[in-house]
Amino acid sequence: MITVVNLSKTPDSIVTIQFNFISELINGASISGATLNVEVLSGIDPAPEDILDGSYTTASGIVSQKLTGGVPGVIYQVTCFATLSNGNLPAIQTKIAIV
């Protein structure tokens, strides 16, 4: 699994994070779906999934997801599990801190 570290954000800002699966798209494969999972790595947030703002989008092998809110001082880990048309199920993780 690939891990990417993003910059921090404030609770009142909205940022878009991207998960790049282009290297997984071999022999004409495409992204047919994705699942995003949010966990707290440091700090306390009883509802970490609430940082997801709306649904993800896909374009040219990249899954994009807007993030909003969050608890100051908390570090979140967002994992994107992609479903590819060739049956592969790659995953990419990213970490983001709320300041």
Side-chain angles (χ1 to χ4, degrees):
M1 182 176 313
I2 298 169
T3 300
V4 178
V5 178
N6 278 289
L7 300 176
S8 58
K9 70 177 255 358
T10 61
D12 57 344
S13 65
I14 298 173
V15 299
T16 301
I17 57 173
Q18 295 184 323
F19 301 92
N20 185 334
F21 292 99
I22 292 172
S23 64
E24 300 288 333
L25 303 181
I26 55 175
N27 299 325
S30 61
I31 297 174
S32 57
T35 302
L36 286 104
N37 181 44
V38 183
E39 298 176 72
V40 172
L41 288 182
S42 176
I44 298 172
D45 183 348
E49 66 281 353
D50 287 352
I51 69 168
L52 299 177
D53 185 19
S55 299
Y56 67 86
T57 59
T58 62
S60 303
I62 296 174
V63 176
S64 299
Q65 174 67 53
K66 289 184 180 181
L67 301 180
T68 189
V71 176
V74 172
I75 299 173
Y76 297 89
Q77 177 173 279
V78 183
T79 306
C80 180
F81 301 92
T83 302
L84 305 185
S85 59
N86 63 8
N88 289 345
L89 301 168
I92 298 174
Q93 295 177 326
T94 190
K95 296 171 179 61
I96 188 160
I98 308 301
V99 295

